[in-house]
Amino acid sequence: MGGAKYWFGAIVLLGVCGAVIVVSRWRPAEEAGSAKQLSSPLPSDAVPHDSPSATNAPAASSAGDVGGDTEDVEPFKRLADSLPFQVQQGGYVSSSGCRDCHPQEFESWHGTYHRTMTQVASSESILASFDGVRLSSRGREYYLSREGENYFVTGADPDFEASAQANGVDLDLLNPPVIKQEVVMTTGSHHMQGYWVASAHKNMLRQIPFTYIIAEKRWVPREDNFLVPPNEPRHFAVWNDNCIVCHAVGGQPHFDLEAMTVSTEVAELGISCEACHGPGTPHIEYHAKLKKNPNFAANQDDPIYNPANCDAKISADICGQCHAYFSPHDWDTFGKTGYQYRPGGNLSATHDLMTFEKGKAQSQDGYVGTYWNDGTCRVAGREFTAMVTSGCYLNGPMNCVNCHSMHDSDPNDQLAIRMETNEACLQCHQDYRDRLTEHTHHSAESSGSLCYNCHMPNTTYGALKATRSHRVQSPRVAPLSEVDHPNACNLCHLDQTLGWAAENLTQWYQQPKPELTPDELKTAASVLWLLRGDAVQRAITAWHMNWEPALEVSGQGWQVPLLAQSLTDDYAAVRFLADKALRSDPDFIKLKYDYIGRPAERQTKSSQMLDKWNGRTLDTIPQDASRLLLDEESGKLIMSRLKELLDQQDKRQIWLPE
């Protein structure tokens, strides 16, 4: 590209939002070979370089502080065209064009997290504090500030670092220029929120390297917010080639490889009416003609789609355009115009929908971990990918809107009225209504008689929690060697063994017994998953040790020493979930532990908790305590067994495309 001002490169990655994406990198040509000389270091009184903490601090007051008016910090530029251009073309009218005729539907949608998935940055949309916040991770410090209605981040230039990384430069050897940038857009508003700043390349947006966890009211480094390998390098996420796919309507990236520019357009930010119903112009024109001529409709259908009323497969595809695992059929076309799927179309015609077989083929550079070994997708948010492998979908009318609704539901999970009960399944399986306990072998009022606890257990992972798999299956016991998803029985009965579950499934449902090892016959399944399992099994098990139905069934307290050990897990997500589970115990509700603190501090806290456990006298020792690694007489942790199981831990690297 000879005399071009910028050099452009592209690498294919597994996107954090599930699609395989192209992450674009730019580097000024004049920076080649001289990156290490470009230096504008942060002042010495900032957070230490080896600290991974994210803390609130008073606003900087002296000229030498981060965010002060120093010559080292390049002034920010307020870019009027930094946001994606909102263009109503292709028949789109935006949600405001639907409001007048459909006010109730507009209001119900307006209260959902779909609407607030992507928003222009403002005091209303930004949920985190920016007032004098200092953040530090992986050798970089950042300072957040607010000036009236505007929010800023001062830190290493992300364009500079992304360019260097794409060219193989070790970022730890760099002293990048420090710049002050305005936060112009947000993504997320339910569990966590990310923030985007403008780049030097038209309206390409980069995410600041921290995420705000809403329930915890804390900032964390972005890499510690996802289930990725330990010491994962910094990511320089680009909104225009990843988030645009599902977090906006009618997104068109418009990457120009010749001009090396980005000129992204969307019909609307967030997930609004036309994402599910299709472009509104044909619908409006149809009704205008119908008003003039009532006979007009005799030969034509309304060119709008309602997922609740259309064919089940078409309806499922509408949700699948986002809630699936996919990649483009053609990367060049995607880079220009994005996905051209519209509600009512064939999703597979525009999306290369991923399957277990394709996913395994893509795992050549390590164990990505997107699927369980039985082919079930284990990444949250990919409900379509799971559902389409279910018999209820393949052989019946099952689709997403059987249970979910955008307009008549709890926004938390978008579950329609009574769909949190067995009515969800009894819509089709009426024959079980009068013989529920005969089928479940549990009392009708118990969690063991809720259909989805057994047939859709929480075996997918995302956003620092376990969620329900949408592959409808019957419970099945699998040895740990199969790396299969934890079975529903042992996710409630955390204190029981795989052998116990297999025995009951054989007795009740004539399932063949699997061949299990001595450990799997004598040690509780949850203990094996938490200590020996891979990172996803460990995360899901830790989450269930804080799940109320499981605690009611299997008791509380005995999990403490096992969770204490998990405070030193290699994966930040596992440590986060273990910490939350421990703090659900009344004795540890005030536990002071930082899951992204220094390793030595995490180890000290884990050892202190184990010592506290072994130093106290238990009022009651669980029955058959040895299966929980506890001494039958004293209740102390059997350290030799703990070490034995930890030595067998599945250390294959996990990189979940959440």
Side-chain angles (χ1 to χ4, degrees), residues 37 351 404 470 516:
Q37 282 77 46
H351 293 56
H404 297 278
H470 279 59
L516 301 174

Side-chain angles (χ1 to χ4, degrees), residues 542-615:
W543 183 88
H544 278 87
M545 288 185 172
N546 190 28
W547 188 43
E548 186 174 341
L551 297 179
E552 289 177 355
V553 169
S554 55
Q556 191 169 8
W558 59 266
Q559 302 92 337
V560 167
L562 304 170
L563 291 167
Q565 175 59 46
S566 296
L567 297 181
T568 63
D569 197 278
D570 290 339
Y571 283 73
V574 177
R575 300 194 299 269
F576 173 88
L577 292 167
D579 176 35
K580 286 201 71 172
L582 278 167
R583 285 189 283 117
S584 71
D585 188 297
D587 290 340
F588 297 97
I589 195 168
K590 296 182 179 180
L591 173 66
K592 293 183 179 180
Y593 164 83
D594 187 354
Y595 84 103
I596 55 174
R598 291 180 174 87
E601 295 172 350
R602 300 198 301 261
Q603 181 62 62
T604 297
K605 181 60 68 173
S606 173
S607 298
Q608 288 175 348
M609 295 194 66
L610 289 173
D611 290 343
K612 181 177 180 179
W613 174 270
N614 284 328

Side-chain angles (χ1 to χ4, degrees), residues 6-18:
Y6 293 96
W7 174 89
F8 175 87
I11 55 175
V12 176
L13 294 174
L14 287 174
V16 169
C17 290

